[in-house]
Amino acid sequence: MMESIKVFAPATVANVGCGYDILGFALEGYGDELILTERQDDQLVIKTIQGVAELPLDPTKNVSTVTISALLEDLKLNKGFDLKIKKNIAAGSGLGSSASSAAAAAYAVNEFLGGPISSEELIKFAMEGERIASTKAHADNVAPSILGGFTVVRSYDPLDVFNIPYPEDLRVVIIFPQVEVKTSDAKKIIKEQVKLSDAIKQWGNVAGLVSGLILHDFERIGKSLQDVVIEPVRSYLIPLYQEMKTIALNVGALGFSISGSGPSMFCFVRDTSESSLIIERAKELYGKNGIDVISFVSGINNMGAKTLD
Amino acid sequence: MMESIKVFAPATVANVGCGYDILGFALEGYGDELILTERQDDQLVIKTIQGVAELPLDPTKNVSTVTISALLEDLKLNKGFDLKIKKNIAAGSGLGSSASSAAAAAYAVNEFLGGPISSEELIKFAMEGERIASTKAHADNVAPSILGGFTVVRSYDPLDVFNIPYPEDLRVVIIFPQVEVKTSDAKKIIKEQVKLSDAIKQWGNVAGLVSGLILHDFERIGKSLQDVVIEPVRSYLIPLYQEMKTIALNVGALGFSISGSGPSMFCFVRDTSESSLIIERAKELYGKNGIDVISFVSGINNMGAKTLD
């Protein structure tokens, strides 16, 4: 039996405009790594956390170890592991940092144990990790981080998550201004009531986005990437949001919205020339306002969490 | 040039569970007929209305003539027509009675004129007819009545309507208890605010239903046919709603919900044996409670409005 396993779980974009709490997709080449090594006792010990995020080493407070505890408890296993975590995603980026750690942890333990649990079922354990970082156990980041691709959380009770097809040549531009938006703050400003007329607009756009993705209708994807419920309040937490959105849409982006709870923003593009231009303009806009910005283009990652050599 | 044209426009199911105001589909073999004959003057005259519905002959109050006026005005044409209307759909049935008349009228005039207007554009004129019957100009019945198939109204402003694919072997059972629910009454009881948590459930189900239809996933279609926003209030207007729903689901119906504003109900089925059983049980249930019921099985009509010989 192996003693150690190294895994990767990708960064993710949740909400995806109109799909607050139900839609998400995985990014390529950007995510967290986790090395899990079996211990002789039943302790979970975080040995090192490298990288961009400052995170708790206390196993009751770290999303990775909380996820592993939930999983081992469900399997009624007394096992211990050392964890070495490499964070490539900043906490508070809106790119599913905590979800990536939770997904990596759930995936690693399951692989280590020879895969007793299906990928779909792993989601609910990773959600327990997410609960630590957020006020609620959301699945819209952990689902795509584990499963890859574009995911729908149709229902939370019972949990019903599935992948939907999407055009393989769809590209995503991520614009991440270097300011922190706490998920908990971003959640506080969401109203508990929605105007029915806005809810109708939102589910019309969900129908448009989902059908546009499955049918590879780029124009429809762009038109449907609207959010009349969350964006109007959360965009105020993101510096220069409207300016950046206008620039991206003028350059030809297919829709533009907030990634998760922000401050990262994203847009879909078809062409690499558009993505280069959007990245260039983002650097100009934020640069002249004295804000550093990380910006990159990615495909949708169809793999999800995976074992590394 | 022809002097007269005879058209048919199908009955429709709107809302479709989770898709309040945005989803609809057309039924087979059940709908309104309209004979349009050119006049020498510029008057619109309703000569006869045959069939189940008692409707106004006043051209400013009948959905067919209001639709035609809107269309002729937009085209800046001074033309007059005699109308003979055959209603097969009762007003207040929840099966798109007014929409069928509006769709037939818009379609007939456009065909008569040689088709100057696209089917998608016709929808907005038929919506003007709908405005007379309802408090608002809805498109979720007129869109499938004109276009056929399963339609999404992604946006009302600007109007953006499209068809989505669906499994051809999907069958619909309609259960229409002979009590009247006025659309205007059914609209009054809808709250103007929705709990965010309910709105999220609803758009999760929209994503599930739309993807289930396009990908021919019957299980997902069934699971997604839920309505946590409208059904909880409107179902009280329909006698024996919960009993009928339980019976249909127990027999194997793929979901069950209210058609439009009711009192008609509908469910999807895959098999004709299920549909026969549901119809039989509906007759038993309503029969023993002294309520007549019209019940039938239909495919989804992929044709929409059409010219008759």
Side-chain angles (χ1 to χ4, degrees):
Chain A
M1 193 176 175
M2 67 183 139
E3 289 175 344
S4 189
I5 186 170
K6 185 177 180 183
V7 306
F8 168 85
T12 49
V13 170
N15 299 344
V16 198
C18 49
Y20 181 67
D21 269 9
I22 67 145
L23 297 181
F25 61 83
L27 293 170
E28 277 173 348
Y30 191 61
D32 282 0
E33 285 175 29
L34 170 66
I35 298 171
L36 198 75
T37 308
E38 192 174 22
R39 286 174 62 92
Q40 296 309 311
D41 59 19
D42 64 356
Q43 300 298 299
L44 298 175
V45 179
I46 300 169
K47 288 287 196 186
T48 57
I49 303 179
Q50 283 187 308
V52 293
E54 281 179 34
L55 293 168
L57 292 167
D58 179 346
T60 65
K61 290 179 181 159
N62 185 292
V63 294
S64 301
T65 38
V66 168
T67 298
I68 295 173
S69 293
L71 207 159
L72 293 176
E73 195 179 332
D74 188 78
L75 291 172
K76 298 187 183 21
L77 283 177
N78 278 321
K79 274 197 171 300
F81 294 100
D82 287 334
L83 283 80
K84 290 182 180 173
I85 299 167
K86 193 172 163 199
K87 297 289 301 177
N88 291 308
I89 314 168
S93 62
L95 295 170
S97 175
S98 58
S100 179
S101 292
Y107 183 82
V109 172
N110 193 45
E111 287 298 297
F112 187 90
L113 297 172
I117 295 177
S118 74
S119 297
E120 284 75 13
E121 286 175 295
L122 275 185
I123 293 166
K124 70 167 185 265
F125 300 107
M127 284 169 72
E128 290 308 310
E130 270 284 66
R131 198 191 292 278
I132 299 292
S134 182
T135 49
K136 240 171 82 185
H138 288 276
D140 48 346
N141 287 108
V142 290
S145 191
I146 291 173
L147 302 177
F150 210 109
T151 58
V152 174
V153 186
R154 187 196 60 81
S155 160
Y156 277 86
D157 185 24
L159 188 65
D160 183 17
V161 178
F162 51 82
N163 281 102
I164 54 170
Y166 55 88
E168 279 185 19
D169 51 343
L170 196 64
R171 292 287 170 275
V172 189
V173 180
I174 300 290
I175 298 154
F176 174 19
Q178 300 296 292
V179 294
E180 194 179 342
V181 173
K182 280 196 179 157
T183 305
S184 52
D185 288 346
K187 290 218 174 286
K188 268 181 219 150
I189 60 167
I190 305 294
K191 300 189 187 97
E192 283 179 18
Q193 299 274 324
V194 185
K195 277 166 65 184
L196 177 61
S197 56
D198 285 341
I200 292 167
K201 284 179 196 165
Q202 201 88 340
W203 54 64
N205 283 314
V206 167
L209 182 56
V210 167
S211 64
L213 286 164
I214 298 175
L215 301 170
H216 296 197
D217 184 330
F218 288 90
E219 194 191 339
R220 192 184 299 165
I221 292 169
K223 279 185 189 170
S224 305
L225 201 77
Q226 292 189 30
D227 172 11
V228 297
V229 175
I230 308 298
E231 183 183 309
V233 287
R234 276 199 179 159
S235 56
Y236 287 107
L237 299 177
I238 303 172
L240 306 166
Y241 182 81
Q242 292 304 336
E243 292 86 338
M244 189 62 236
K245 180 172 181 169
T246 304
I247 288 170
L249 294 177
N250 284 345
V251 169
L254 300 165
F256 186 96
S257 195
I258 302 168
S259 175
S261 52
S264 288
M265 299 155 267
F266 77 100
C267 57
F268 290 126
V269 289
R270 290 198 71 169
D271 213 292
T272 46
S273 65
E274 287 160 2
S275 59
S276 311
L277 209 51
I278 292 167
I279 289 170
E280 203 177 289
R281 296 283 167 82
K283 285 188 196 304
E284 275 171 29
L285 175 70
Y286 285 95
K288 76 182 179 198
N289 285 278
I291 299 170
D292 284 339
V293 68
I294 293 172
S295 193
F296 59 94
V297 61
S298 167
I300 293 183
N301 170 345
N302 67 9
M303 185 83 174
K306 64 179 180 185
T307 306
L308 299 175
D309 291 327
Chain B
M1 193 177 174
M2 68 183 139
E3 291 176 341
S4 188
I5 185 169
K6 185 177 180 184
V7 306
F8 168 86
T12 48
V13 170
N15 298 346
V16 200
C18 49
Y20 180 67
D21 270 9
I22 67 144
L23 296 181
F25 61 84
L27 294 169
E28 277 172 348
Y30 191 62
D32 281 1
E33 286 175 30
L34 170 66
I35 298 171
L36 198 75
T37 307
E38 192 173 22
R39 287 174 63 90
Q40 296 309 309
D41 60 18
D42 63 356
Q43 300 297 299
L44 298 176
V45 179
I46 299 169
K47 289 286 194 186
T48 57
I49 303 179
Q50 283 188 309
V52 294
E54 283 179 33
L55 292 170
L57 292 168
D58 178 345
T60 65
K61 290 178 180 158
N62 185 292
V63 295
S64 301
T65 38
V66 168
T67 298
I68 294 172
S69 294
L71 207 157
L72 292 176
E73 196 181 328
D74 188 78
L75 291 171
K76 297 186 181 28
L77 283 177
N78 279 320
K79 273 199 172 300
F81 294 100
D82 287 335
L83 283 79
K84 291 183 179 173
I85 299 168
K86 192 171 162 200
K87 295 290 300 177
N88 291 308
I89 314 169
S93 62
L95 295 170
S97 176
S98 57
S100 179
S101 292
Y107 182 83
V109 173
N110 194 45
E111 287 299 297
F112 187 90
L113 297 173
I117 294 177
S118 74
S119 296
E120 283 75 13
E121 286 176 294
L122 275 184
I123 293 166
K124 70 167 186 263
F125 299 108
M127 285 169 71
E128 291 307 309
E130 270 285 67
R131 198 192 292 277
I132 299 292
S134 180
T135 49
K136 240 171 82 184
H138 289 275
D140 47 346
N141 288 108
V142 290
S145 191
I146 291 173
L147 302 177
F150 210 110
T151 57
V152 173
V153 187
R154 188 195 60 81
S155 160
Y156 276 87
D157 185 23
L159 187 65
D160 182 17
V161 178
F162 50 84
N163 280 104
I164 53 170
Y166 56 88
E168 278 186 17
D169 51 344
L170 196 64
R171 292 287 169 276
V172 189
V173 180
I174 299 290
I175 298 155
F176 173 20
Q178 299 298 289
V179 294
E180 193 179 343
V181 173
K182 280 196 179 156
T183 305
S184 52
D185 289 345
K187 289 217 175 286
K188 269 182 218 149
I189 60 167
I190 305 294
K191 301 188 186 99
E192 282 178 20
Q193 298 275 325
V194 185
K195 276 167 64 184
L196 177 62
S197 56
D198 285 341
I200 292 167
K201 285 179 194 165
Q202 202 88 340
W203 52 64
N205 283 314
V206 168
L209 181 56
V210 167
S211 64
L213 286 163
I214 299 175
L215 301 169
H216 296 198
D217 184 330
F218 288 90
E219 194 192 337
R220 193 185 297 166
I221 291 169
K223 279 185 188 169
S224 306
L225 201 76
Q226 292 189 30
D227 172 11
V228 297
V229 175
I230 308 299
E231 183 184 307
V233 287
R234 276 199 179 158
S235 56
Y236 288 107
L237 299 177
I238 303 172
L240 305 166
Y241 182 81
Q242 291 304 335
E243 292 86 336
M244 189 61 236
K245 180 172 182 169
T246 303
I247 288 169
L249 293 177
N250 284 345
V251 169
L254 300 165
F256 186 96
S257 196
I258 302 168
S259 175
S261 52
S264 288
M265 297 156 268
F266 78 100
C267 56
F268 289 126
V269 289
R270 291 198 71 168
D271 213 292
T272 46
S273 65
E274 287 161 2
S275 60
S276 311
L277 209 51
I278 292 167
I279 289 170
E280 203 178 286
R281 298 281 168 83
K283 285 188 195 305
E284 276 171 29
L285 175 70
Y286 284 95
K288 75 182 181 199
N289 285 279
I291 299 170
D292 285 338
V293 68
I294 292 171
S295 195
F296 60 94
V297 61
S298 167
I300 294 183
N301 171 343
N302 66 9
M303 185 85 176
K306 63 180 179 183
T307 306
L308 299 174
D309 292 327

